[in-house]
Amino acid sequence: MQNEAGENVDLYVPRKCSYSNRLIAAKDHSSVQINIANVDPLTGIATGESTPYCLAGYIRFKSEGDMALTGLAKKNDAVLFATEE
């Protein structure tokens, strides 16, 4: 809900899992939010900005957290892989 000034005034705004688009409930104590640093592709140095990824506890319970995080990072070009020269 928003007030007249357009500011968000809700007490609780639920998050969504970045991988499965499930809502993360307030009682889901096994969910995590991971921030991956953005890296300059030319220099390989972190830019100071980061991209947040939320993973639901269900994904972590099924042992798919690593696969989910790698897939999300590849999809958003957040991961640079070394290539053979």
Side-chain angles (χ1 to χ4, degrees):
M1 184 167 68
Q2 295 180 347
N3 61 8
E4 295 173 358
E7 298 171 350
N8 196 5
V9 293
D10 289 332
L11 294 177
Y12 173 71
V13 179
R15 295 180 295 164
K16 286 182 89 174
C17 177
S18 300
Y19 184 70
S20 65
N21 287 329
R22 287 179 171 222
L23 281 178
I24 298 176
K27 294 291 183 178
D28 187 358
H29 296 293
S30 59
S31 63
V32 293
Q33 178 172 338
I34 299 172
N35 294 325
I36 295 182
N38 295 340
V39 177
D40 183 17
L42 298 176
T43 61
I45 299 174
T47 61
E49 300 174 354
S50 62
T51 305
Y53 295 106
C54 297
L55 294 178
Y58 174 78
I59 300 296
R60 298 183 66 218
F61 177 73
K62 294 291 186 181
S63 301
E64 296 180 358
D66 184 43
M67 179 186 69
L69 190 60
T70 304
L72 288 168
K74 282 183 183 178
K75 180 176 135 185
N76 294 332
D77 294 329
V79 177
L80 299 175
F81 293 99
T83 58
E84 295 182 20
E85 294 182 18

